[in-house]
Amino acid sequence: MGMKTYEELEEILSGRMNADDILSLCSAVATSGSVVALMPFLHSADPIVARNAAWAMTHFTDDELSLLVSRRDEMTDLVLSTGNTGLRRVLLAILYRMPCTAEDVRTDFLDFCLSCMVSLDQPPGVQSLCMKTARRLCSFYPELSEEFMRTVKGMEPCYYTPALKSVRNKILR
């Protein structure tokens, strides 16, 4: 698959995609040298297009993802504003894989992650990724790390799924 026009990419992203379709799309985007080509689709009014674009981006290599660091705030804003929990989960996975420094810590995003990791209203995937992300963001500041660990220790395991309990236990180790 060669590089496609915006309309062709939108058509591909609007349909049902399997792993081979995703890998082919990622290869075409990477070969063209424009990994940001999928960014506009994250804002699509069609939730399938947005989720498929994000899902495709999860298949980028770490080097390809590092080319999107300049768009981190845009993706973070989308995590904070979207009502599409599938898109939120996939964007959290992308953001988690990106390199991060103390200068990249946004307090609104950290607050969001701290809130969502304990919220029973959030899907387990979002909770788990928020817990892992919050741990990472807090790690730059000893006082925040201590508060984070108190929060994790205070979580009642009986209310959470096995996946979240596993993440919690790994953090506590």
Side-chain angles (χ1 to χ4, degrees), residues 62 65-66 69 72 94-101 104 136:
D62 289 343
L65 275 182
S66 70
V69 167
R72 179 195 330 262
I94 293 167
L95 289 169
Y96 185 73
R97 284 186 49 214
M98 285 184 170
C100 181
T101 66
D104 298 320
R136 183 183 199 194

Side-chain angles (χ1 to χ4, degrees), residues 27-74:
S27 176
V29 169
T31 301
S32 75
S34 181
V35 295
V36 298
L38 295 178
M39 287 297 297
F41 298 103
L42 296 177
H43 301 282
S44 174
D46 182 342
I48 294 170
V49 169
R51 191 186 65 242
N52 280 345
W55 184 39
M57 293 167 77
T58 66
H59 291 78
F60 285 164
T61 66
D62 289 343
D63 288 339
E64 291 164 346
L65 275 182
S66 70
L67 299 173
L68 294 173
V69 167
S70 65
R71 307 297 287 271
R72 179 195 330 262
D73 280 339
E74 180 182 345

